[in-house]
Amino acid sequence: MVEKFFQDHERKMPRDSLITSENDKRSKRKRAKSKQETSRRENNEEEEAQLTGGKGTKARKDIRNEKTRRMEKEEVREVDENIDEGKKKQGSTKKGEKKEDGGKQLVKEKARDIKKKKHKKAETSSEPETSEEDDDEEEDNDKDVVRPECLSPEELEKLKEAVDERKKLIQSLRGKPWPMKKKLVTLRESQEFVEKYEGALGKGKGRKLYAYKVLMTKKWMKFQRDFENFKTACIPWEMKIKEIESHFGSSVASYFIFLRWMYGINMILFGLTFGLVMVPEALMGRPYGSMPRKTVPRAEEASAMDFAVLWDFGGYAQYSVLFYGYYNNQRTVGWLKFRMPLSYFLVGVGTVAYSYMVVIRTMARNANESGVGDDNSFNFSWKMFTSWDYLIGNAETADNKFASITTSFKEAILEEQENHKDDNIHLTRFLRVLANFLVLCCLAGSGYLIYFVVRRSQKFALDGLENHTWWERNEVNMVMSLLGMFCPMLFDVISTLENYHPRVALQWQLGRIFALFLGNLYTFIIALMDEINLKRKEEKVVKFNITMWEASLYNGTVLENSTAPPVTIHPADVPRGPCWETMVGQEFVRLIISDTMTTYITLLIGDFLRAVLVRFLNYCWCWDLEAGFPSYSEFDVSGNVLGLIFNQGMIWMGSFYAPCLPALNVIRLHVSMYLQCWAVMCCNVPQERVFKASGSNNFYMAMLLVILFLSTLPAIYTIVSIPPSFDCGPFSGKNRMFDVIHETLESDFPPWFSKVFSYASNPGLVLPFILLMVLAIYYLQSTSKSYREANVELKKKLQMQNEENKRKNKRAALKAQMDLEEARKTAQEQQRNNNASVQDQEVYCVSELSDSWMKMRLSRK
Amino acid sequence: MGNKQTIFTDEQLDAYQDCTFFTRKEILRLHGRYHELAPHLVPMDYTNEPDCKIPLALIVNMPELKENPFRNRIVESFSEDGMGNLSFNEFVDMFSVLSEMAPRELKAIYAFKIYDFNVDNYLCKEDLEKTLNKLTKEELTPEEVELVCEKTIEEADLDGDHKLSFADFENMISRAPDFLSTFHIRI
């Protein structure tokens, strides 16, 4: 392989040069030389000096040769100066890279010229010199290109550096503000250079290793690129989102990007629960019907396959891998000795940990991207240069955007002109207090309603679900969904009382909806807790009954010899506890389902039906429906994002007791992606008030984090403080769920490990550790605070400096001008007084002054 | 790939990927879009780098650019001749700079070019007025325009020459929270 690479390499070189020489129509030798020269020049002068120096010592060189070289260098310097001058004329926009680059090209051309000149010169001079020159050229050529082994180690080092530099250039090429043509040319040149000298570098001691390394890096690069291509090809819905983006601008698209992000997270959660919990249990665990917890009880058997029951996740659905209760407490399952309970526990913890990690990482990245954008010093400039959303490609959206930009400018102007003059501050205050009071009432009312409904449903559940109507059975979920639907509208109405700036109003609105959802969720959880307690009481009774039942069973049948095999009872007939974990899981699944349904139905009725009605009734209506009252609906970004966040919160909360929840959520998100994309494109109009998407990104993320925290709290509470049911689930028979860790430590790890662990978990070690962490947090926070302060301070200083500079420059310019005028005056006077004898001096004086003035102006620029 | 007729050689695609922020597929798509603009002008086969240019009038009619008030400036500032005729290379370059992946510094350089209407390497008052009028469809009164321009210069001008040099502009734009999210076009 390596050999082949080298052969390839050596074969390639002459071919390359042949091609280029055809282009150049110059002799091959000259071309090679000049090219080598230019490439060397391009790197840096130091390196060149080194190389030439090295050559000087190696090859025999006469003084004349040295001289020409010096001349050449002088010319180069001249070129550099030229460039600088040209640069000044051109203005300083393109700065460093551009300059360097322009220089390079000029140098290249110049170098070629020099070469030509030199050659001509050599030709005009005596014969032997010419030949020597040519020989020399050939020497150089050979040495650098074909026989690098005669280079000294330092030169090799230099060359290596140059090659690395080229490589870096190739890497950073895409970020260079050059026209594409030049980029392509530079790329090709650099690649040729690298290829040429990389091969050369390889000769020597570590030749094979080096070549191998080069080969591997090339392969690796190619692989990376392919992988990158593959990755972008895997990002779903790119075109769909793009289309929406071009119609509705970035804020609506941000919702869909958020949705896609959520989808990704749920995919991973789904992979975890599916791959590590559901599939192993289904494949390797005991089959359905082998034990009581895996069988539908006799009483329910008749209706277990009814659609209504299955839709409620009862019957066969309840006694399947979808829920906690189905799992067996066997320590290992299957021939793989898969630790099922441990895996169940770790997956539960892992989903939460992973979610935390992802959310926090995204937040940090967002914070980085948005930078320090909260100072108001560039209000107008930002409005001017960043308010247009380049993504917009739809006429209507563009019109809205124009309008919103105009209003924002007008607002800013107004604010600038009169710094907020409130007409009746008492009235607004009163109205705001009133609005908040109303909102609080709403929240409290909705909380009470949910609590009431949940209690009622418990009563119904005790009576047995069969003798109640559909509404009574689904009351809780329906009430929660309806509250979630109508309360935000109510809040919207209330918020008109407050007369806030729209952006502030939006944040209030979001905050209120957030509080509503949170309140509802927590009432729901509290009610669930009540139910759990009830079930646990029931469980105690059942447990007692079972022992009695077993005793009676044994007493009645196998009294005479207890060694005889016990009577086989069909698992469906065995009495069993209520299994509160499955109940919790079921509640969450039902909640998710009903929430999804309401979302879709509101989408269909609220958006689609409305759009259809508005569109077609408009032909026969007394006022313009499209422009007037009902109109088409706008896409409510914030509401939708909130809905998504809460949905996710429920998933996090419930997925420990119902491993199927992530799977359900993946399906839901998938469907809503298509449904909402379609609904947005076909029946929504672009928003009138377009808000910035990026600024609120972290706002949403922060909400997600809060929800994540709040939703893991109850789950962790139940895991830690409530003993698991005695006859269902992977942790049955244990005192607490986390005992599974202890068990694994004891039985699967060597004894010293558990000893170490027990030492490490003793309070004497844990407490100092926690203390240390708190201290570290405190320290980091205080340092970040001081950094921030220093930042602000520096910013202030910079501004002051700038202003001072401004003033100083102005003063200097004025002074210079005055001096000039004075000088002129004096000159005129002097001219009047004396005659031609002193004129020379005057001119000198004036020119000096004007020079200084010019310098001032230049420096000011 | 090789399932369709070759538009680019593999080397070309690699080179484009090195020089832009696009993947292979996107470059092919870009070529498709470019070809779509003027099917009779642009050849399908780009392996021998044909020299053809599409005039500004055709390019600004792309749906991505059609509604943009600065469309002419965008195209002009990416064209070599400054008149808005784009070769495929420049076309790719344009969307590369405007893509999501491009860094802020690069975007800032081209944003400056776009807002510099009279190409004097400074954003002077005239440029700002034009920008503002394009942004608001000339709905502001001349006094308001005057005020906004003055304010903008006052805010961003650091060296007191009453126009914005690139350094001023960069300093201002580097802190703008929305610049990255708004200054990009997906293709």
Side-chain angles (χ1 to χ4, degrees):
Chain A
M1 200 73 155
V2 179
E3 288 303 319
K4 200 184 156 211
F5 169 72
F6 263 100
Q7 280 164 13
D8 232 25
H9 187 96
E10 254 143 358
R11 237 185 297 130
K12 213 179 259 171
M13 268 186 323
R15 202 174 52 205
D16 274 354
S17 48
L18 259 175
I19 293 164
T20 25
S21 72
E22 269 169 28
N23 288 342
D24 277 2
K25 298 224 166 85
R26 275 187 206 157
S27 81
K28 179 185 159 192
R29 197 176 49 198
K30 231 195 293 173
R31 189 205 61 82
K33 170 88 184 184
S34 85
K35 195 172 170 193
Q36 169 207 334
E37 200 81 57
T38 50
S39 56
R40 211 184 296 144
R41 230 168 270 270
E42 271 165 42
N43 293 331
N44 48 28
E45 280 203 16
E46 275 172 41
E47 196 234 336
E48 195 211 9
Q50 258 279 346
L51 271 179
T52 42
K55 242 181 282 157
T57 53
K58 281 252 151 66
R60 55 271 105 84
K61 285 238 158 86
D62 53 7
I63 306 157
R64 202 202 47 75
N65 208 345
E66 285 284 329
K67 221 185 267 169
T68 48
R69 216 170 274 283
R70 216 172 294 141
M71 259 168 64
E72 206 180 292
K73 245 188 205 156
E74 257 171 34
E75 266 171 6
V76 170
R77 211 166 296 137
E78 200 183 294
V79 170
D80 277 342
E81 273 167 24
N82 275 345
I83 295 155
D84 280 348
E85 267 176 32
K87 215 60 226 177
K88 258 179 210 158
K89 266 178 227 155
Q90 230 182 54
S92 58
T93 28
K94 277 119 211 170
K95 282 174 48 186
E97 288 149 334
K98 192 82 189 178
K99 184 168 169 182
E100 178 195 344
D101 167 70
K104 261 187 211 169
Q105 274 207 339
L106 271 174
V107 167
K108 235 184 276 171
E109 280 167 23
K110 198 75 184 180
R112 219 168 269 161
D113 285 353
I114 290 163
K115 223 54 266 179
K116 250 190 248 167
K117 233 191 272 170
K118 199 168 145 193
H119 208 77
K120 256 184 218 158
K121 215 191 321 177
E123 271 173 1
T124 47
S125 57
S126 58
E127 283 283 326
E129 270 173 12
T130 322
S131 66
E132 201 188 325
E133 181 81 34
D134 283 351
D135 276 349
D136 199 58
E137 274 182 30
E138 242 176 50
E139 265 305 316
D140 285 1
N141 194 357
D142 285 351
K143 205 181 294 163
D144 273 10
V145 182
V146 192
R147 284 188 306 179
E149 60 266 35
C150 45
L151 287 172
S152 69
E154 301 104 71
E155 282 171 45
L156 263 179
E157 207 48 44
K158 284 278 169 195
L159 205 56
K160 214 174 217 168
E161 252 170 49
V163 168
D164 282 348
E165 214 164 273
R166 283 313 182 96
K167 275 182 185 165
K168 237 180 254 164
L169 179 69
I170 292 176
Q171 295 248 305
S172 63
L173 202 57
R174 57 180 67 175
K176 295 260 182 321
W178 304 338
M180 179 63 77
K181 212 191 264 172
K182 201 164 96 206
K183 275 198 252 181
L184 286 174
V185 169
T186 321
L187 177 73
R188 203 179 309 130
E189 271 175 11
S190 306
Q191 273 173 346
E192 268 168 26
F193 180 87
V194 167
E195 209 151 287
K196 192 184 262 174
Y197 289 106
E198 220 162 40
L201 278 177
K203 304 197 178 171
K205 256 193 240 163
R207 162 190 164 153
K208 275 197 176 172
L209 188 70
Y210 189 80
Y212 186 70
K213 246 192 339 209
V214 168
L215 196 72
M216 269 354 265
T217 36
K218 254 187 199 165
K219 283 256 154 82
W220 174 239
M221 290 283 282
K222 188 163 163 32
F223 171 75
Q224 261 181 330
R225 171 164 295 164
D226 286 347
F227 187 67
E228 207 57 34
N229 285 349
F230 175 73
K231 236 172 37 187
T232 45
C234 281
I235 295 175
W237 304 306
E238 193 68 25
M239 293 311 285
K240 257 193 158 67
I241 291 176
K242 203 229 117 204
E243 202 183 333
I244 287 172
E245 219 164 29
S246 69
H247 273 82
F248 293 90
S250 56
S251 75
V252 173
S254 77
Y255 165 72
F256 285 94
I257 291 171
F258 188 67
L259 179 60
R260 188 173 64 183
W261 185 78
M262 259 339 189
Y263 183 79
I265 288 183
N266 277 292
M267 267 314 233
I268 288 177
L269 297 190
F270 166 69
L272 276 177
T273 50
F274 191 73
L276 292 177
V277 173
M278 287 162 84
V279 168
E281 178 69 24
L283 290 182
M284 299 188 287
R286 294 228 204 136
Y288 173 82
S290 58
M291 52 197 303
R293 72 182 66 177
K294 298 196 175 196
T295 326
V296 178
R298 191 67 77 193
E300 294 172 25
E301 233 169 30
S303 63
M305 213 41 205
D306 290 358
F307 180 71
V309 175
L310 284 181
W311 184 248
D312 263 353
F313 285 86
Y316 283 111
Q318 185 182 346
Y319 297 97
S320 68
V321 280
L322 302 185
F323 290 102
Y324 173 92
Y326 181 81
Y327 293 83
N328 194 4
N329 62 346
Q330 243 177 316
R331 223 171 68 74
T332 58
V333 295
W335 51 271
L336 276 175
K337 301 248 176 278
F338 190 77
R339 265 77 173 160
M340 193 60 223
L342 180 71
S343 159
Y344 195 100
F345 188 79
L346 288 184
V347 164
V349 174
T351 43
V352 172
Y354 172 76
S355 313
Y356 268 113
M357 201 186 73
V358 169
V359 172
I360 288 176
R361 208 178 51 193
T362 317
M363 271 181 87
R365 208 172 44 214
N366 278 355
N368 268 349
E369 265 172 20
S370 61
V372 272
D374 37 78
D375 60 338
N376 235 0
S377 50
F378 293 115
N379 193 6
F380 280 99
S381 327
W382 286 346
K383 275 208 172 71
M384 176 94 86
F385 295 119
T386 66
S387 58
W388 182 261
D389 192 345
Y390 278 59
L391 287 164
I392 291 172
N394 173 285
E396 208 175 334
T397 320
D399 280 345
N400 283 348
K401 189 79 196 178
F402 282 126
S404 85
I405 289 174
T406 312
T407 40
S408 84
F409 266 117
K410 283 196 168 151
E411 264 172 24
I413 291 169
L414 268 182
E415 255 171 53
E416 193 63 37
Q417 276 170 348
E418 45 178 318
N419 272 327
H420 243 49
K421 237 194 285 166
D422 230 333
D423 37 9
N424 193 346
I425 198 148
H426 293 295
L427 182 66
T428 21
R429 264 190 202 153
F430 170 72
L431 282 177
R432 282 176 191 177
V433 170
L434 182 70
N436 278 319
F437 178 70
L438 286 177
V439 168
L440 272 182
C441 285
C442 274
L443 289 178
S446 74
Y448 178 71
L449 190 61
I450 289 178
Y451 192 72
F452 174 75
V453 169
V454 172
R455 292 309 288 267
R456 218 163 84 109
S457 78
Q458 283 164 8
K459 222 178 284 165
F460 292 149
L462 281 184
D463 293 351
L465 282 177
E466 300 75 42
N467 33 18
H468 290 285
T469 55
W470 178 84
W471 169 258
E472 279 170 337
R473 266 183 282 139
N474 292 290
E475 220 171 28
V476 183
N477 308 326
M478 293 311 290
V479 164
M480 275 184 79
S481 306
L482 287 178
L483 278 177
M485 215 159 81
F486 287 112
C487 275
M489 291 184 199
L490 209 61
F491 291 161
D492 212 11
V493 173
I494 291 172
S495 72
T496 50
L497 280 177
E498 292 176 309
N499 198 16
Y500 275 125
H501 183 274
R503 190 167 304 134
V504 183
L506 181 80
Q507 270 172 2
W508 273 95
Q509 170 84 350
L510 283 181
R512 279 166 190 164
I513 298 175
F514 193 73
L516 171 81
F517 280 5
L518 213 61
N520 292 356
L521 209 60
Y522 260 69
T523 338
F524 176 73
I525 288 165
I526 289 168
L528 261 183
M529 283 294 185
D530 279 357
E531 208 167 337
I532 289 175
N533 286 337
L534 272 181
K535 292 252 165 173
R536 285 187 53 220
K537 267 182 209 147
E538 198 187 322
E539 193 183 281
K540 258 181 208 160
V541 177
V542 171
K543 209 170 174 181
F544 179 71
N545 282 349
I546 285 178
T547 42
M548 294 293 287
W549 174 78
E550 272 176 349
S552 71
L553 204 67
Y554 287 116
N555 283 343
T557 53
V558 277
L559 194 65
E560 47 276 7
N561 59 340
S562 50
T563 49
V567 190
T568 49
I569 302 167
H570 193 267
D573 295 324
V574 179
R576 59 184 81 174
C579 197
W580 59 267
E581 290 97 336
T582 300
M583 186 269 298
V584 172
Q586 267 176 314
E587 285 296 328
F588 274 108
V589 171
R590 279 180 207 147
L591 202 61
I592 294 282
I593 295 276
S594 79
D595 187 49
T596 312
M597 286 298 130
T598 27
T599 313
Y600 292 165
I601 288 169
T602 30
L603 198 76
L604 284 180
I605 293 177
D607 288 350
F608 183 62
L609 213 62
R610 182 168 157 189
V612 168
L613 286 183
V614 168
R615 183 95 178 76
F616 291 104
L617 283 185
N618 204 23
Y619 297 120
C620 50
W621 205 259
C622 15
W623 70 81
D624 191 3
L625 283 175
E626 281 182 346
F629 161 60
S631 174
Y632 298 104
S633 55
E634 277 180 12
F635 186 78
D636 177 16
V637 177
S638 48
N640 275 304
V641 168
L642 267 187
L644 213 59
I645 287 174
F646 269 87
N647 176 52
Q648 194 58 38
M650 285 190 269
I651 301 295
W652 279 323
M653 227 185 274
S655 63
F656 190 75
Y657 297 117
C660 63
L661 268 183
L664 270 182
N665 203 31
V666 165
I667 297 172
R668 175 210 160 117
L669 292 179
H670 198 98
V671 174
S672 43
M673 189 82 197
Y674 285 100
L675 200 64
Q676 286 193 308
C677 275
W678 164 78
V680 161
M681 291 305 280
C682 97
C683 42
N684 281 19
V685 287
Q687 291 167 306
E688 264 174 57
R689 307 180 306 200
V690 185
F691 288 105
K692 293 175 204 158
S694 71
S696 48
N697 249 349
N698 249 3
F699 185 62
Y700 293 139
M701 278 296 167
M703 278 189 181
L704 197 63
L705 192 67
V706 169
I707 278 290
L708 177 55
F709 179 69
L710 291 178
S711 62
T712 45
L713 265 191
I716 289 177
Y717 172 76
T718 52
I719 289 173
V720 171
S721 68
I722 302 180
S725 301
F726 73 97
D727 65 343
C728 67
F731 311 114
S732 57
K734 293 195 178 60
N735 195 23
R736 291 282 186 270
M737 290 180 192
F738 55 82
D739 281 350
V740 70
I741 300 275
H742 190 66
E743 188 194 76
T744 313
L745 276 179
E746 273 194 343
S747 51
D748 287 342
F749 284 93
W752 61 265
F753 192 84
S754 67
K755 217 181 224 172
V756 167
F757 193 78
S758 73
Y759 282 139
S761 63
N762 125 9
L765 262 174
V766 171
L767 280 182
F769 185 68
I770 291 177
L771 206 64
L772 201 69
M773 290 226 299
V774 169
L775 282 180
I777 290 174
Y778 179 73
Y779 170 75
L780 285 180
Q781 210 198 354
S782 53
T783 44
S784 80
K785 207 176 183 180
S786 65
Y787 280 144
R788 208 175 305 140
E789 269 164 20
N791 239 347
V792 171
E793 203 66 17
L794 280 177
K795 213 181 272 173
K796 246 188 230 162
K797 250 184 208 167
L798 206 67
Q799 237 156 11
M800 295 247 287
Q801 196 90 36
N802 282 331
E803 264 157 38
E804 200 145 298
N805 274 354
K806 247 188 245 181
R807 240 176 284 139
K808 222 187 265 171
N809 282 337
K810 248 179 224 166
R811 227 180 294 138
L814 269 177
K815 202 175 162 224
Q817 210 166 2
M818 267 156 68
D819 281 357
L820 186 69
E821 263 165 34
E822 230 167 70
R824 253 186 210 142
K825 263 182 207 162
T826 49
Q828 276 169 1
E829 272 171 28
Q830 273 182 356
Q831 209 169 26
R832 245 175 266 149
N833 290 347
N834 1 356
N835 279 340
S837 57
V838 241
Q839 231 166 11
D840 288 355
Q841 222 175 345
E842 275 164 37
V843 169
Y844 173 68
C845 168
V846 171
S847 71
E848 198 181 42
L849 271 174
S850 69
D851 261 9
S852 76
W853 190 69
M854 285 299 285
K855 257 182 216 160
M856 282 290 187
R857 290 204 63 169
L858 275 177
S859 74
R860 220 186 63 187
K861 265 180 193 168
Chain B
M1 301 215 170
N3 45 359
K4 280 178 256 166
Q5 79 181 100
T6 46
I7 300 170
F8 298 106
T9 59
D10 275 348
E11 288 81 44
Q12 273 176 313
L13 279 175
D14 278 346
Y16 276 128
Q17 286 183 52
D18 272 331
C19 294
T20 65
F21 295 96
F22 291 125
T23 60
R24 178 193 184 94
K25 207 173 122 195
E26 283 165 326
I27 287 161
L28 289 174
R29 192 162 73 220
L30 271 175
H31 177 262
R33 296 297 304 274
Y34 189 68
H35 178 77
E36 226 170 67
L37 289 173
H40 52 285
L41 277 179
V42 182
M44 271 318 267
D45 179 21
Y46 249 79
T47 44
N48 47 7
E49 299 181 16
D51 179 39
C52 75
K53 290 194 167 191
I54 292 187
L56 176 124
L58 285 175
I59 291 170
V60 294
N61 265 331
M62 288 176 73
E64 279 82 4
L65 291 173
K66 210 170 63 196
E67 298 300 333
N68 198 317
F70 306 111
R71 53 187 175 272
N72 288 1
R73 279 303 305 154
I74 297 175
V75 178
E76 276 163 20
S77 45
F78 278 97
S79 69
E80 209 169 7
D81 52 4
M83 298 300 292
N85 301 319
L86 291 193
S87 67
F88 179 65
N89 280 341
E90 289 150 4
F91 185 77
V92 173
D93 210 20
M94 177 166 86
F95 283 106
S96 168
V97 169
L98 287 168
S99 78
E100 240 171 326
M101 308 288 293
R104 194 184 271 264
E105 298 79 42
L106 184 65
K107 279 177 185 267
I109 289 167
Y110 283 98
F112 184 81
K113 275 191 194 171
I114 288 170
Y115 294 124
D116 182 14
F117 282 82
N118 52 9
V119 208
D120 61 351
N121 285 323
Y122 285 102
L123 297 184
C124 49
K125 211 159 188 180
E126 197 187 323
D127 294 325
L128 293 181
E129 274 166 18
K130 272 187 188 161
T131 311
L132 194 57
N133 281 333
K134 290 210 179 241
L135 265 181
T136 56
K137 286 203 168 168
E138 310 194 11
E139 298 231 332
L140 295 180
T141 60
E143 292 85 53
E144 282 169 335
V145 171
E146 178 81 4
L147 182 81
V148 171
C149 293
E150 292 238 314
K151 277 276 158 200
T152 308
I153 288 178
E154 192 182 296
E155 279 168 5
D157 184 21
L158 293 181
D159 46 13
D161 54 358
H162 291 289
K163 47 190 179 180
L164 305 186
S165 66
F166 178 68
D168 299 334
F169 183 78
E170 199 184 24
N171 174 40
M172 182 268 294
I173 215 82
S174 65
R175 293 192 229 159
D178 296 339
F179 178 60
L180 277 186
S181 64
T182 55
F183 194 75
H184 83 89
I185 294 179
R186 287 202 202 203
I187 185 126

